[in-house]
Amino acid sequence: MTAFAIYRLPHEDHAILIRQSVGEPEEFLSCAELNGRRGFVVAPFQISEQQPILMIRPDSVETVPCEADGTWDDVMPREASHHSDPDYAIDFANFHAQLVSGTFRKIVLARCADEETSEAIAPLQLFHRACMLYPRMFIALVSTSKSGCWLTATPEILLEGKSETWRTIALAGTMKLEGDQLNGEGESLRWSTKNIQEQRIVATYITECLERFTGDFHEEGPRTVRAANLVHLRSDFTFSLPDNQHLGDLLHTLHPTPAVCGLPKRDTFEFITHNEHTPRRYYSGFMGILDPAAETHLYVSLRCMNIEDNRYHLYAGGGLLKDSAEEQEWAETEAKLETMRRCIAIKKT
């Protein structure tokens, strides 16, 4: 199996195809091992020998157009799913109890939903559909023998930049656009206290991370940004790094952010990995091109699915705070799952 990755940056009209022609992708068990390395990185939420960080060596790099199949431009709307997952109910009660007791300030609860189609859809076709549907997002399709095949459409930058100029973002809080709101960018929406608090937790964490590597950084925001039919609160951080050969150390500090994990980071990470019903695998990890000598574009792997022939394992999660309600959190995951569901939607006839 030839390892490859194809990705499209937000608002671009072309994609970059990377192939490793010989051997398997290199495996790493720590983000710090990425210091000074170059290639396409696929990292899981929990790094292990079974699910290591993978680096696809760019033996060939090709620029290709983003062209969707011309017959696919109108899909059947999907009815919202009602909450009927006993595993999610158990997990919510377990996770929420830790917040009520004051053990955690925030914790992210994720789940997986399986979908099937009557016939398999070619992964590259799904990639092109995602590019057409989500021009604002980072779109990537990755296939290796170790990870399997994954498609992601994510709005969240983990680390991006070149030379001494870098940026990351704090992205948290979620609201769904409906009706006339879909004609805008969500500028008229009012954010709840819960969403504002959740975003501030993530922004504060990133500030503390950056202070360990540089004294030259600037935060702007938060502001409302649109991603598909959802909007989030986003703060942008720009900063300088005198030495870009140690990006792995910075990634080790940033990943996983509270946007996919929680606070305190170490304690919530351990709780999630021991108590969440469905292992996250490469969901809520990160992926993208790492190249200290040129440009780096690494994104958190949100809104993603694992493709197995005509079966699709879709992943989504949401940040819980003490005042979170189960039905609202379920509805948020449903809205996020819709991003990938639209890519495999049934055509109208």
Side-chain angles (χ1 to χ4, degrees):
M1 179 181 182
T2 300
F4 76 88
I6 182 170
Y7 69 93
R8 191 220 60 196
L9 296 175
H11 305 292
E12 295 285 357
D13 60 1
H14 63 275
I16 306 297
L17 174 61
I18 293 173
R19 293 190 184 96
Q20 180 170 330
S21 57
V22 179
E24 295 293 331
E26 198 165 358
E27 299 181 7
F28 304 99
L29 295 178
S30 169
C31 290
E33 296 178 48
L34 297 174
N35 284 337
R37 307 307 292 256
R38 172 178 177 264
F40 191 95
V41 178
V42 188
F45 176 71
Q46 181 184 20
I47 303 166
S48 66
E49 291 185 356
Q50 292 72 38
Q51 289 169 167
I53 299 172
L54 301 170
M55 176 170 282
I56 300 173
R57 187 177 63 249
D59 293 336
S60 69
V61 180
E62 181 182 355
T63 300
V64 296
C66 291
E67 296 177 351
D69 49 313
T71 61
W72 191 88
D73 57 4
D74 197 9
V75 299
M76 292 289 287
R78 182 186 176 91
E79 292 291 332
S81 171
H82 296 289
H83 181 10
S84 60
D85 184 342
D87 288 344
Y88 184 85
I90 292 169
D91 283 352
F92 182 89
N94 193 10
F95 281 46
H96 191 249
Q98 309 305 312
L99 297 164
V100 173
S101 68
T103 304
F104 305 141
R105 292 175 58 197
K106 170 190 173 176
I107 188 167
V108 175
L109 173 59
R111 68 184 183 96
C112 178
D114 290 344
E115 301 283 350
E116 288 190 15
T117 54
S118 57
E119 296 181 0
I121 306 170
L124 279 173
Q125 189 177 15
L126 292 171
F127 171 81
H128 288 304
R129 291 180 180 183
C131 288
M132 181 190 70
L133 284 167
Y134 309 121
R136 298 174 176 87
M137 295 191 188
F138 172 82
I139 313 294
L141 175 71
V142 178
S143 179
T144 76
S145 59
K146 190 82 172 186
S147 66
C149 187
W150 290 77
L151 175 68
T152 187
T154 175
E156 185 171 354
I157 299 166
L158 181 64
L159 181 63
E160 188 171 66
K162 61 181 179 179
S163 186
E164 295 184 2
T165 305
W166 297 85
R167 67 176 181 139
T168 185
I169 68 172
L171 190 77
T174 302
M175 293 181 68
K176 185 176 181 179
L177 296 177
E178 297 177 311
D180 292 340
Q181 296 170 343
L182 292 166
N183 297 322
E185 300 296 314
E187 58 275 2
S188 63
L189 294 176
R190 296 187 64 180
W191 289 95
S192 67
T193 301
K194 183 261 184 185
N195 280 302
I196 294 170
Q197 289 176 341
E198 184 182 347
Q199 199 276 338
R200 191 66 248 161
I201 287 172
V202 179
T204 300
Y205 170 82
I206 290 178
T207 297
E208 293 170 351
C209 289
L210 294 179
E211 286 174 340
R212 296 163 61 177
F213 291 87
T214 178
D216 182 12
F217 66 89
H218 177 67
E219 177 186 355
E220 291 186 359
R223 59 190 174 93
T224 300
V225 294
R226 181 171 176 176
N229 292 341
L230 305 176
V231 287
H232 307 285
L233 282 171
R234 166 174 165 169
S235 294
D236 288 71
F237 294 82
T238 54
F239 56 97
S240 63
L241 288 177
D243 178 10
N244 62 13
Q245 292 301 308
H246 290 83
L247 298 179
D249 293 335
L250 178 55
L251 291 169
H252 179 74
T253 302
L254 288 172
H255 174 70
T257 73
V260 297
C261 187
L263 281 177
K265 174 178 173 177
R266 184 182 299 275
D267 294 339
T268 52
F269 177 83
E270 290 295 325
F271 190 87
I272 288 168
T273 56
H274 285 92
N275 291 279
E276 224 168 42
H277 265 86
T278 304
R280 297 188 183 187
R281 304 171 65 202
Y282 286 88
Y283 163 68
S284 67
F286 63 90
M287 65 173 67
I289 190 70
L290 175 67
D291 191 345
E295 289 193 25
T296 291
H297 300 278
L298 297 173
Y299 282 71
V300 181
S301 303
L302 305 178
R303 321 289 195 273
C304 67
M305 65 179 170
N306 175 219
I307 303 167
E308 293 182 333
D309 296 322
N310 67 326
R311 295 191 67 201
Y312 312 91
H313 309 290
L314 284 59
Y315 293 80
L320 308 186
L321 299 180
K322 186 166 64 173
D323 59 351
S324 293
E326 183 180 335
E327 288 294 334
Q328 292 175 343
E329 297 300 332
W330 173 268
E332 180 176 319
T333 62
E334 279 293 298
K336 291 174 177 177
L337 290 170
E338 192 63 23
T339 301
M340 286 289 105
R341 281 175 173 151
R342 290 186 69 197
C343 293
I344 57 175
I346 303 169
K347 297 178 186 178
K348 285 185 177 179
T349 57

